Amino acid sequence: MADKKPRILVSNDDGYFSEGLRSLVEAVSPLGEVWVVAPDREQSAASHSISLNRPLRITEVRERWFAVDGTPADSAYLAIHHLMKDDRPAIMVSGINHGANLADDVNYSGTVAAARESAFMGIPSIAFSLVSRPPFDFQHAARFAGSLVAAALAQPRLPPRMLLSVNVPRGEPTGYSVTRLGRHSYGYDVVEKEDPRGRKYYWIGGSAYEYEDIPGSDCNAIHMDRRISVTPLHFELTDRQAMGELSNWSLEGFTRFDMARGGD
């Protein structure tokens, strides 16, 4: 009997119809049985929001290809806990995003959130993003995605909560590096306007891009070296140094009890 092909879940935040998603599907299709479960519209910067106050609807576009009228995290949740619950995916991939997800972007990105939601549920996950503006050319990002997913599936065992954020520069990359998150800024503009009824409204988000020169960072790999950045992420957000500092604070009227600090 031939070995069973691994199931590969694909999602994104640009919508089930996006060019980046189609490129990613084509890249990983030779590696396993691909299932697409993605938002039915663009959800860029949706972060890790999930829909708890309204029902969700799933539309089957074609075999193993579904559109969800929710967020990227909703799509991953429904895929793993409903559509694929009887045979969970071996790996989840998200993207290819139409734009960068470097540095602090991972906190806002719906592309990363879909992968993070899957990793929360024990599915090794990779988010892919193309650092470019239109017109987009996904060929190099797709080729790297195919190679990285093949390498991941070839491992004897992947950490079940593995989460990688991959950014690919525009044009042909010089190679790739395993990186840390960097720091960058798009500026902090607030544009105030007025509607025809005299009510003010606001556009937020800047366009003045700057990044810090941090050796080993994803920003440096992309902008200085034209390399693909592969950044492992984890979910431990506790600031252990601040725990020690907070222990020295004195709060009038309250008794402080020390807690065990596993992992110190």
Side-chain angles (χ1 to χ4, degrees), residues 14 96-102 105 111 128-133 136 138 166-168 186:
D14 289 307
I96 301 168
N97 191 61
H98 294 218
N101 278 312
L102 297 163
D105 294 345
T111 301
F128 294 94
S129 303
L130 178 62
V131 185
S132 179
R133 295 181 181 275
F136 295 101
F138 293 99
V166 175
N167 281 271
V168 181
Y186 298 98

Side-chain angles (χ1 to χ4, degrees), residues 9-121:
L9 170 61
V10 182
S11 193
N12 72 350
D13 73 356
D14 289 307
Y16 74 96
F17 48 79
S18 76
E19 182 184 356
L21 183 138
R22 292 197 303 268
S23 297
L24 183 55
V25 168
E26 289 174 9
V28 301
S29 286
L31 305 175
E33 181 186 279
V34 173
W35 288 62
V36 174
V37 186
D40 66 355
R41 69 203 70 184
E42 183 180 348
Q43 295 275 353
S44 296
S47 190
H48 206 113
S49 57
I50 58 174
S51 302
L52 296 178
N53 298 314
R54 68 174 184 87
L56 294 168
R57 290 177 169 81
I58 303 172
T59 301
E60 185 170 4
V61 179
R62 55 179 180 268
E63 186 180 9
R64 300 197 304 272
W65 197 300
F66 301 88
V68 175
D69 71 335
T71 67
D74 290 334
S75 299
Y77 186 101
L78 284 172
I80 293 167
H81 287 300
H82 178 61
L83 294 168
M84 304 176 74
K85 66 180 180 181
D86 295 328
D87 189 2
R88 287 157 61 95
I91 196 167
M92 186 274 186
V93 292
S94 182
I96 301 168
N97 191 61
H98 294 218
N101 278 312
L102 297 163
D104 294 340
D105 294 345
V106 299
N107 297 303
Y108 301 99
S109 166
T111 301
V112 175
R116 187 189 298 115
E117 180 68 16
S118 299
F120 279 163
M121 294 182 280

Side-chain angles (χ1 to χ4, degrees), residues 189-195 199-204:
D189 296 342
V190 177
V191 177
E192 180 183 289
K193 291 185 177 294
E194 192 172 279
D195 69 18
R199 296 174 300 187
K200 291 181 179 179
Y201 65 94
Y202 303 88
W203 286 99
I204 65 172

Side-chain angles (χ1 to χ4, degrees), residues 225-244:
D225 304 318
R226 292 196 49 74
R227 294 180 192 152
I228 298 167
S229 68
V230 180
T231 308
L233 305 177
H234 63 71
F235 311 120
E236 173 56 71
L237 299 179
T238 306
D239 186 338
R240 296 189 179 277
Q241 180 179 343
M243 286 179 69

